[in-house]
Amino acid sequence: STEISTFSRLIAGGVAGCTACVACYPLDLVRTRLTTQLDGQEHYRGITDAFVKIFKSEGFLGLYSGIGPTLMVAVPSFSISYVVYGSLKEYALEDELFYNLRKVDAVSGEEKLGFQLTLMCGAASGTLSTLVTFPFDTVRRRMQIQSLHFAPEERLTGVQMIRKLLRKDGVKGFYRGLTPEVLKVVPMVGTMFTTYEYLKDKLNVS
């Protein structure tokens, strides 16, 4: 089989992350605003109402408010995930340490990742990408909810938000909420790559 370079994985993951982010961002924005409304001060009655009100008050671009920091999360996150997963997969298939965890195709005799190895490689890739990109995710979430709590002239840009966080909380402020995020990402990315490998096998995709 043709060997895939690290650079190719990096680009493929980045393009996939960028495409998914741009396509789904308005939904992510609405979800964030709905879940951060204060009791008794609800701005939106539901998903449709949120879309309509954001569009009317902030215009079409309002649906993409904060997309800059989001792309700074999604693109490197997907790139790192695919690079790390691909590299760990190659290592696991070559190193004898993981021999007993590999599975052998009954027809072709080709060695493949077993369920445990796929889950482990996926979880590791998700954890590393989260550790690298979480600070940008913190900025992203804060920018998404600014319109609920601040007047337009008081809202901060991405750079201003980063400076404010550094002054107020230091570096640790960027990693607030990291533990639940990792607890979410480990099973999620592990399951994603396990499903990915399973479907590749069933669909005979190399």
Side-chain angles (χ1 to χ4, degrees), residues 193-205:
F193 279 112
T194 300
T195 305
Y196 168 73
E197 292 292 350
Y198 174 78
L199 291 176
K200 275 181 61 180
D201 188 44
K202 291 301 178 182
L203 297 172
N204 293 318
V205 178

Side-chain angles (χ1 to χ4, degrees), residues 8-198:
S8 295
R9 290 194 184 108
L10 195 71
I11 296 300
V15 172
C18 183
T19 304
C21 178
V22 172
C24 302
Y25 187 78
L27 282 170
D28 185 46
L29 176 72
V30 168
R31 175 185 66 86
T32 301
R33 291 197 181 182
L34 286 174
T35 56
T36 55
Q37 293 186 110
L38 301 176
D39 291 337
Q41 300 179 32
E42 290 86 357
H43 288 72
Y44 314 112
R45 296 192 302 272
I47 296 174
T48 303
D49 184 55
F51 269 113
V52 172
K53 286 182 176 177
I54 291 171
F55 184 78
K56 284 183 176 179
S57 63
E58 302 174 43
F60 176 75
L61 292 179
L63 294 171
Y64 285 90
S65 174
I67 194 172
T70 303
L71 286 172
M72 292 177 73
V73 174
V75 174
S77 179
F78 273 79
S79 293
I80 293 169
S81 285
Y82 276 91
V83 168
V84 173
Y85 176 77
S87 300
L88 289 177
K89 178 181 177 180
E90 288 180 354
Y91 178 73
L93 288 173
E94 293 172 0
D95 198 289
E96 292 304 310
L97 178 65
F98 302 101
Y99 176 78
N100 291 328
L101 294 176
R102 296 196 288 261
K103 73 173 185 178
V104 179
D105 189 283
V107 178
S108 65
E110 178 187 0
E111 285 191 321
K112 298 181 179 180
L113 293 182
F115 172 77
Q116 288 176 290
L117 274 179
T118 305
L119 204 60
M120 288 164 58
C121 292
S125 71
T127 300
L128 183 59
S129 66
T130 297
L131 292 174
V132 173
T133 61
F134 192 77
F136 296 108
D137 196 39
T138 299
V139 173
R140 172 187 73 87
R141 281 183 272 111
R142 295 198 175 205
M143 289 190 69
Q144 283 183 330
I145 63 173
Q146 283 190 108
S147 67
L148 294 179
H149 309 290
F150 298 99
E153 63 274 9
E154 296 176 330
R155 295 171 197 168
L156 304 178
T157 64
V159 174
Q160 290 172 330
M161 185 71 74
I162 291 171
R163 288 175 178 168
K164 180 183 177 181
L165 269 170
L166 276 173
R167 283 197 310 269
K168 185 179 179 182
D169 302 315
V171 175
K172 67 179 182 180
F174 290 94
Y175 286 94
R176 185 171 294 157
L178 177 64
T179 300
E181 180 69 14
V182 171
L183 290 174
K184 178 193 80 172
V185 164
V186 167
M188 184 184 76
V189 181
T191 303
M192 180 185 77
F193 279 112
T194 300
T195 305
Y196 168 73
E197 292 292 350
Y198 174 78

